mmCIF file of all heavy atoms in Angstrom:
data_model
loop_
_atom_site.group_PDB
_atom_site.id
_atom_site.type_symbol
_atom_site.label_atom_id
_atom_site.label_comp_id
_atom_site.label_asym_id
_atom_site.label_seq_id
_atom_site.Cartn_x
_atom_site.Cartn_y
_atom_site.Cartn_z
ATOM 1 N N PRO A 127 -17.985 -295.631 44.185
ATOM 2 C CA PRO A 127 -16.895 -294.580 43.926
ATOM 3 C C PRO A 127 -17.435 -293.161 43.443
ATOM 4 O O PRO A 127 -18.443 -293.205 42.685
ATOM 5 C CB PRO A 127 -15.981 -295.138 42.891
ATOM 6 C CG PRO A 127 -16.752 -296.147 42.239
ATOM 7 C CD PRO A 127 -17.818 -296.673 43.191
ATOM 8 N N VAL A 128 -16.915 -292.084 43.915
ATOM 9 C CA VAL A 128 -17.262 -290.675 43.516
ATOM 10 C C VAL A 128 -15.995 -290.131 43.080
ATOM 11 O O VAL A 128 -14.797 -290.495 43.399
ATOM 12 C CB VAL A 128 -17.854 -289.896 44.678
ATOM 13 C CG1 VAL A 128 -19.141 -290.539 45.152
ATOM 14 C CG2 VAL A 128 -16.850 -289.800 45.893
ATOM 15 N N VAL A 129 -16.112 -289.135 42.172
ATOM 16 C CA VAL A 129 -14.888 -288.440 41.659
ATOM 17 C C VAL A 129 -14.603 -287.267 42.519
ATOM 18 O O VAL A 129 -15.518 -286.369 42.723
ATOM 19 C CB VAL A 129 -15.093 -288.023 40.198
ATOM 20 C CG1 VAL A 129 -13.873 -287.255 39.646
ATOM 21 C CG2 VAL A 129 -15.282 -289.192 39.239
ATOM 22 N N ALA A 130 -13.469 -287.199 43.182
ATOM 23 C CA ALA A 130 -12.982 -286.070 43.891
ATOM 24 C C ALA A 130 -11.881 -285.297 43.131
ATOM 25 O O ALA A 130 -11.017 -286.019 42.539
ATOM 26 C CB ALA A 130 -12.479 -286.537 45.210
ATOM 27 N N VAL A 131 -11.929 -284.074 43.062
ATOM 28 C CA VAL A 131 -10.921 -283.314 42.364
ATOM 29 C C VAL A 131 -9.705 -283.116 43.259
ATOM 30 O O VAL A 131 -9.884 -282.682 44.416
ATOM 31 C CB VAL A 131 -11.528 -281.922 42.037
ATOM 32 C CG1 VAL A 131 -10.470 -281.076 41.311
ATOM 33 C CG2 VAL A 131 -12.701 -282.065 41.119
ATOM 34 N N VAL A 132 -8.565 -283.461 42.790
ATOM 35 C CA VAL A 132 -7.333 -283.376 43.477
ATOM 36 C C VAL A 132 -6.515 -282.148 42.881
ATOM 37 O O VAL A 132 -6.302 -282.160 41.678
ATOM 38 C CB VAL A 132 -6.562 -284.651 43.449
ATOM 39 C CG1 VAL A 132 -5.135 -284.533 44.128
ATOM 40 C CG2 VAL A 132 -7.292 -285.817 44.133
ATOM 41 N N LYS A 133 -6.042 -281.300 43.722
ATOM 42 C CA LYS A 133 -5.190 -280.184 43.245
ATOM 43 C C LYS A 133 -3.977 -280.094 44.240
ATOM 44 O O LYS A 133 -4.220 -280.072 45.463
ATOM 45 C CB LYS A 133 -5.986 -278.849 43.356
ATOM 46 C CG LYS A 133 -5.178 -277.726 42.868
ATOM 47 C CD LYS A 133 -5.949 -276.792 41.876
ATOM 48 C CE LYS A 133 -5.189 -275.653 41.534
ATOM 49 N NZ LYS A 133 -4.420 -275.687 40.313
ATOM 50 N N ASN A 134 -2.823 -280.193 43.706
ATOM 51 C CA ASN A 134 -1.513 -280.211 44.516
ATOM 52 C C ASN A 134 -1.608 -281.362 45.539
ATOM 53 O O ASN A 134 -1.084 -281.213 46.703
ATOM 54 C CB ASN A 134 -1.356 -278.858 45.259
ATOM 55 C CG ASN A 134 -1.221 -277.661 44.342
ATOM 56 O OD1 ASN A 134 -0.562 -277.816 43.274
ATOM 57 N ND2 ASN A 134 -1.769 -276.525 44.708
ATOM 58 N N GLY A 135 -2.177 -282.440 45.122
ATOM 59 C CA GLY A 135 -2.259 -283.604 46.001
ATOM 60 C C GLY A 135 -3.337 -283.604 47.007
ATOM 61 O O GLY A 135 -3.595 -284.593 47.661
ATOM 62 N N GLN A 136 -4.081 -282.492 47.204
ATOM 63 C CA GLN A 136 -5.064 -282.406 48.165
ATOM 64 C C GLN A 136 -6.584 -282.450 47.628
ATOM 65 O O GLN A 136 -6.775 -282.018 46.456
ATOM 66 C CB GLN A 136 -4.915 -281.096 48.977
ATOM 67 C CG GLN A 136 -3.631 -281.175 49.623
ATOM 68 C CD GLN A 136 -3.364 -279.983 50.611
ATOM 69 O OE1 GLN A 136 -4.273 -279.204 50.768
ATOM 70 N NE2 GLN A 136 -2.215 -279.875 51.229
ATOM 71 N N PHE A 137 -7.466 -282.970 48.363
ATOM 72 C CA PHE A 137 -8.891 -283.053 47.974
ATOM 73 C C PHE A 137 -9.790 -282.738 49.235
ATOM 74 O O PHE A 137 -9.271 -282.836 50.413
ATOM 75 C CB PHE A 137 -9.255 -284.342 47.416
ATOM 76 C CG PHE A 137 -9.325 -285.511 48.442
ATOM 77 C CD1 PHE A 137 -10.498 -285.798 49.101
ATOM 78 C CD2 PHE A 137 -8.175 -286.234 48.795
ATOM 79 C CE1 PHE A 137 -10.527 -286.769 50.042
ATOM 80 C CE2 PHE A 137 -8.250 -287.186 49.740
ATOM 81 C CZ PHE A 137 -9.373 -287.488 50.353
ATOM 82 N N GLY A 138 -10.994 -282.348 49.033
ATOM 83 C CA GLY A 138 -11.990 -282.195 49.952
ATOM 84 C C GLY A 138 -13.320 -282.865 49.434
ATOM 85 O O GLY A 138 -13.439 -282.882 48.216
ATOM 86 N N TYR A 139 -14.111 -283.418 50.293
ATOM 87 C CA TYR A 139 -15.331 -284.070 49.897
ATOM 88 C C TYR A 139 -16.337 -284.024 51.055
ATOM 89 O O TYR A 139 -15.967 -284.076 52.195
ATOM 90 C CB TYR A 139 -15.012 -285.500 49.516
ATOM 91 C CG TYR A 139 -16.268 -286.221 48.939
ATOM 92 C CD1 TYR A 139 -16.724 -285.864 47.587
ATOM 93 C CD2 TYR A 139 -17.071 -287.007 49.704
ATOM 94 C CE1 TYR A 139 -17.882 -286.482 47.130
ATOM 95 C CE2 TYR A 139 -18.175 -287.628 49.155
ATOM 96 C CZ TYR A 139 -18.610 -287.405 47.875
ATOM 97 O OH TYR A 139 -19.727 -287.939 47.369
ATOM 98 N N GLN A 140 -17.620 -283.856 50.663
ATOM 99 C CA GLN A 140 -18.725 -283.869 51.661
ATOM 100 C C GLN A 140 -19.312 -285.358 51.702
ATOM 101 O O GLN A 140 -20.012 -285.663 50.740
ATOM 102 C CB GLN A 140 -19.806 -282.925 51.210
ATOM 103 C CG GLN A 140 -19.395 -281.495 51.301
ATOM 104 C CD GLN A 140 -19.451 -280.842 52.674
ATOM 105 O OE1 GLN A 140 -20.169 -281.374 53.523
ATOM 106 N NE2 GLN A 140 -18.843 -279.726 52.790
ATOM 107 N N LEU A 141 -19.043 -286.028 52.790
ATOM 108 C CA LEU A 141 -19.679 -287.329 52.929
ATOM 109 C C LEU A 141 -21.187 -287.190 52.947
ATOM 110 O O LEU A 141 -21.670 -286.274 53.615
ATOM 111 C CB LEU A 141 -19.223 -288.040 54.185
ATOM 112 C CG LEU A 141 -17.683 -288.305 54.299
ATOM 113 C CD1 LEU A 141 -17.406 -288.997 55.584
ATOM 114 C CD2 LEU A 141 -17.174 -289.211 53.187
ATOM 115 N N GLY A 142 -21.874 -287.952 52.226
ATOM 116 C CA GLY A 142 -23.314 -287.880 52.217
ATOM 117 C C GLY A 142 -23.857 -287.110 50.965
ATOM 118 O O GLY A 142 -25.040 -286.874 50.794
ATOM 119 N N THR A 143 -22.908 -286.749 50.039
ATOM 120 C CA THR A 143 -23.300 -285.993 48.875
ATOM 121 C C THR A 143 -24.190 -286.871 47.951
ATOM 122 O O THR A 143 -25.205 -286.357 47.446
ATOM 123 C CB THR A 143 -22.096 -285.462 48.118
ATOM 124 O OG1 THR A 143 -21.432 -284.533 48.974
ATOM 125 C CG2 THR A 143 -22.465 -284.786 46.791
ATOM 126 N N THR A 144 -23.806 -288.074 47.656
ATOM 127 C CA THR A 144 -24.471 -288.862 46.729
ATOM 128 C C THR A 144 -25.320 -289.940 47.512
ATOM 129 O O THR A 144 -26.228 -290.513 46.880
ATOM 130 C CB THR A 144 -23.674 -289.623 45.735
ATOM 131 O OG1 THR A 144 -22.693 -290.393 46.360
ATOM 132 C CG2 THR A 144 -22.862 -288.571 44.923
ATOM 133 N N LYS A 145 -24.904 -290.328 48.681
ATOM 134 C CA LYS A 145 -25.648 -291.307 49.473
ATOM 135 C C LYS A 145 -25.866 -290.757 50.910
ATOM 136 O O LYS A 145 -24.849 -290.610 51.530
ATOM 137 C CB LYS A 145 -24.883 -292.648 49.494
ATOM 138 C CG LYS A 145 -25.651 -293.742 50.204
ATOM 139 C CD LYS A 145 -24.943 -295.087 50.181
ATOM 140 C CE LYS A 145 -25.721 -296.144 50.919
ATOM 141 N NZ LYS A 145 -24.978 -297.345 50.991
ATOM 142 N N PRO A 146 -27.073 -290.544 51.225
ATOM 143 C CA PRO A 146 -27.329 -289.946 52.560
ATOM 144 C C PRO A 146 -26.688 -290.752 53.730
ATOM 145 O O PRO A 146 -26.657 -292.027 53.709
ATOM 146 C CB PRO A 146 -28.814 -289.888 52.716
ATOM 147 C CG PRO A 146 -29.363 -290.048 51.321
ATOM 148 C CD PRO A 146 -28.318 -290.803 50.488
ATOM 149 N N LEU A 147 -26.217 -290.005 54.693
ATOM 150 C CA LEU A 147 -25.676 -290.650 55.908
ATOM 151 C C LEU A 147 -26.848 -291.060 56.742
ATOM 152 O O LEU A 147 -27.712 -290.394 56.995
ATOM 153 C CB LEU A 147 -24.809 -289.691 56.682
ATOM 154 C CG LEU A 147 -23.508 -289.297 56.072
ATOM 155 C CD1 LEU A 147 -22.929 -288.095 56.781
ATOM 156 C CD2 LEU A 147 -22.541 -290.457 56.128
ATOM 157 N N PRO A 148 -26.910 -292.364 57.050
ATOM 158 C CA PRO A 148 -28.027 -292.922 57.914
ATOM 159 C C PRO A 148 -27.961 -292.358 59.320
ATOM 160 O O PRO A 148 -26.889 -292.028 59.832
ATOM 161 C CB PRO A 148 -27.870 -294.401 57.797
ATOM 162 C CG PRO A 148 -26.417 -294.631 57.681
ATOM 163 C CD PRO A 148 -25.964 -293.426 56.776
ATOM 164 N N ALA A 149 -29.143 -292.374 60.027
ATOM 165 C CA ALA A 149 -29.166 -291.964 61.363
ATOM 166 C C ALA A 149 -28.229 -292.795 62.312
ATOM 167 O O ALA A 149 -27.691 -292.358 63.266
ATOM 168 C CB ALA A 149 -30.641 -291.982 61.882
ATOM 169 N N LEU A 150 -28.111 -294.045 61.800
ATOM 170 C CA LEU A 150 -27.175 -294.982 62.713
ATOM 171 C C LEU A 150 -25.802 -294.496 62.827
ATOM 172 O O LEU A 150 -25.207 -294.569 63.872
ATOM 173 C CB LEU A 150 -27.134 -296.364 62.053
ATOM 174 C CG LEU A 150 -26.291 -297.391 62.583
ATOM 175 C CD1 LEU A 150 -26.619 -297.714 63.999
ATOM 176 C CD2 LEU A 150 -26.170 -298.658 61.778
ATOM 177 N N VAL A 151 -25.297 -293.827 61.735
ATOM 178 C CA VAL A 151 -23.943 -293.332 61.763
ATOM 179 C C VAL A 151 -23.754 -292.279 62.888
ATOM 180 O O VAL A 151 -22.720 -292.251 63.539
ATOM 181 C CB VAL A 151 -23.494 -292.685 60.395
ATOM 182 C CG1 VAL A 151 -22.162 -292.020 60.412
ATOM 183 C CG2 VAL A 151 -23.473 -293.871 59.317
ATOM 184 N N GLY A 152 -24.732 -291.378 63.052
ATOM 185 C CA GLY A 152 -24.729 -290.402 64.115
ATOM 186 C C GLY A 152 -24.780 -291.040 65.542
ATOM 187 O O GLY A 152 -24.321 -290.362 66.460
ATOM 188 N N LYS A 153 -25.145 -292.293 65.617
ATOM 189 C CA LYS A 153 -25.220 -292.967 66.955
ATOM 190 C C LYS A 153 -23.928 -293.843 67.175
ATOM 191 O O LYS A 153 -23.916 -294.356 68.289
ATOM 192 C CB LYS A 153 -26.542 -293.836 66.968
ATOM 193 C CG LYS A 153 -27.822 -293.027 66.867
ATOM 194 C CD LYS A 153 -28.980 -293.902 66.842
ATOM 195 C CE LYS A 153 -30.218 -293.046 66.730
ATOM 196 N NZ LYS A 153 -31.381 -293.826 66.484
ATOM 197 N N LEU A 154 -23.063 -293.899 66.221
ATOM 198 C CA LEU A 154 -21.850 -294.751 66.487
ATOM 199 C C LEU A 154 -21.019 -294.033 67.559
ATOM 200 O O LEU A 154 -20.872 -292.817 67.417
ATOM 201 C CB LEU A 154 -21.115 -294.882 65.180
ATOM 202 C CG LEU A 154 -21.792 -295.744 64.047
ATOM 203 C CD1 LEU A 154 -20.952 -295.701 62.800
ATOM 204 C CD2 LEU A 154 -22.075 -297.164 64.568
ATOM 205 N N ASP A 155 -20.432 -294.758 68.417
ATOM 206 C CA ASP A 155 -19.639 -294.170 69.495
ATOM 207 C C ASP A 155 -18.401 -293.469 68.902
ATOM 208 O O ASP A 155 -18.131 -292.341 69.264
ATOM 209 C CB ASP A 155 -19.201 -295.274 70.387
ATOM 210 C CG ASP A 155 -18.434 -294.701 71.632
ATOM 211 O OD1 ASP A 155 -18.861 -293.658 72.124
ATOM 212 O OD2 ASP A 155 -17.450 -295.369 71.963
ATOM 213 N N LYS A 156 -17.662 -294.123 68.008
ATOM 214 C CA LYS A 156 -16.522 -293.508 67.412
ATOM 215 C C LYS A 156 -16.421 -294.083 65.996
ATOM 216 O O LYS A 156 -15.726 -295.108 65.884
ATOM 217 C CB LYS A 156 -15.338 -293.804 68.215
ATOM 218 C CG LYS A 156 -13.996 -293.068 67.768
ATOM 219 C CD LYS A 156 -12.916 -293.325 68.711
ATOM 220 C CE LYS A 156 -11.624 -292.619 68.258
ATOM 221 N NZ LYS A 156 -10.483 -292.867 69.149
ATOM 222 N N PRO A 157 -16.983 -293.472 64.987
ATOM 223 C CA PRO A 157 -16.954 -294.011 63.645
ATOM 224 C C PRO A 157 -15.455 -293.981 63.033
ATOM 225 O O PRO A 157 -14.781 -293.020 63.365
ATOM 226 C CB PRO A 157 -17.936 -293.217 62.832
ATOM 227 C CG PRO A 157 -18.064 -291.966 63.646
ATOM 228 C CD PRO A 157 -17.810 -292.263 65.012
ATOM 229 N N TRP A 158 -15.190 -294.899 62.290
ATOM 230 C CA TRP A 158 -13.863 -294.966 61.549
ATOM 231 C C TRP A 158 -14.113 -294.887 60.100
ATOM 232 O O TRP A 158 -14.997 -295.502 59.540
ATOM 233 C CB TRP A 158 -13.129 -296.248 61.981
ATOM 234 C CG TRP A 158 -12.633 -296.199 63.294
ATOM 235 C CD1 TRP A 158 -13.313 -296.411 64.510
ATOM 236 C CD2 TRP A 158 -11.330 -295.958 63.779
ATOM 237 N NE1 TRP A 158 -12.412 -296.254 65.595
ATOM 238 C CE2 TRP A 158 -11.269 -296.044 65.163
ATOM 239 C CE3 TRP A 158 -10.106 -295.711 63.042
ATOM 240 C CZ2 TRP A 158 -10.080 -295.826 65.870
ATOM 241 C CZ3 TRP A 158 -8.933 -295.554 63.765
ATOM 242 C CH2 TRP A 158 -8.907 -295.550 65.172
ATOM 243 N N LEU A 159 -13.284 -294.065 59.481
ATOM 244 C CA LEU A 159 -13.405 -293.811 57.922
ATOM 245 C C LEU A 159 -12.238 -294.569 57.277
ATOM 246 O O LEU A 159 -11.135 -294.477 57.507
ATOM 247 C CB LEU A 159 -13.299 -292.285 57.656
ATOM 248 C CG LEU A 159 -13.272 -291.850 56.249
ATOM 249 C CD1 LEU A 159 -14.633 -292.181 55.620
ATOM 250 C CD2 LEU A 159 -12.950 -290.366 56.104
#
């Protein structure tokens, strides 16, 4: 878990901020979040 700041119910976050995205993720045909 990471802490995301919510304002008016909305948040933004950069995936890969605390744990790098592996090269495999870029090779996935259609990743699901």
Side-chain angles (χ1 to χ4, degrees):
V128 297
V129 176
V131 176
V132 174
K133 180 137 176 95
N134 297 322
Q136 299 187 3
F137 71 91
Y139 186 76
Q140 294 276 345
L141 300 179
T143 297
T144 61
K145 183 176 180 185
L147 291 165
L150 173 65
V151 171
K153 295 176 183 172
L154 296 176
D155 184 41
K156 185 176 182 182
W158 286 77
L159 177 65

